[in-house]
Amino acid sequence: MIVIDAASPVPPFEQLRAQLARQIQDRTLTVGARLPTIRNLAADLGLAVNTVGRAYRELEEAGLIETRGRAGSFVSAAGEEGRERARRAAADYAAVIASVGIDTGEAIRIVQAALTSGTSAPASS
């Protein structure tokens, strides 16, 4: 269920994009699920077609949905592939941390710092 708050300072397209992204990430919308057409969703939510179109475009650019021409827009498997890639990276990181003797608390602080800075350390060869 999507709710757009007209009184919010957040633009409607961003409210829609964020809510759909959250539903995809928490698997409320599963891989392969067909999304409503842009026109139908715009009518249901009382939004302009271009507003919904922008939200869909941004979701597509993020790899969360894919548009298959006249067949419509669907939840992409790319989001799930990204989650699996992150799980593998976390397992690799945990193995490195264990091999060099860093404790869990420090390992978590290292990850938090990397996430906060928005950068990652270069891979060693």
Side-chain angles (χ1 to χ4, degrees):
M1 182 171 159
I2 303 289
V3 177
I4 302 300
D5 179 2
S8 173
V10 177
F13 84 89
E14 177 56 23
Q15 291 181 53
L16 176 58
R17 187 210 60 77
Q19 289 180 57
L20 286 172
R22 193 173 318 111
Q23 289 181 17
I24 291 167
Q25 291 165 347
D26 70 13
R27 297 186 179 121
T28 301
L29 289 171
T30 58
V31 171
R34 186 167 193 248
L35 299 177
T37 65
I38 290 172
R39 289 185 192 281
N40 285 346
L41 189 55
D44 290 347
L45 297 175
L47 297 173
V49 171
N50 288 339
T51 300
V52 176
R54 181 172 179 187
Y56 274 32
R57 276 191 306 280
E58 291 197 8
L59 290 165
E60 190 162 22
E61 288 170 8
L64 295 175
I65 69 171
E66 58 187 45
T67 301
R68 302 177 191 160
R70 292 201 171 276
S73 296
F74 298 82
V75 175
S76 170
E80 188 60 32
E81 290 165 8
R83 185 176 280 112
E84 183 54 34
R85 185 173 162 207
R87 281 188 203 108
R88 285 192 307 268
D92 291 346
Y93 178 69
V96 169
I97 292 303
S99 73
V100 297
I102 294 176
D103 69 70
T104 303
E106 185 177 354
I108 291 170
R109 286 190 297 278
I110 292 168
V111 170
Q112 287 173 327
L115 291 170
T116 302
S117 71
T119 61
S120 59
S124 58
S125 306

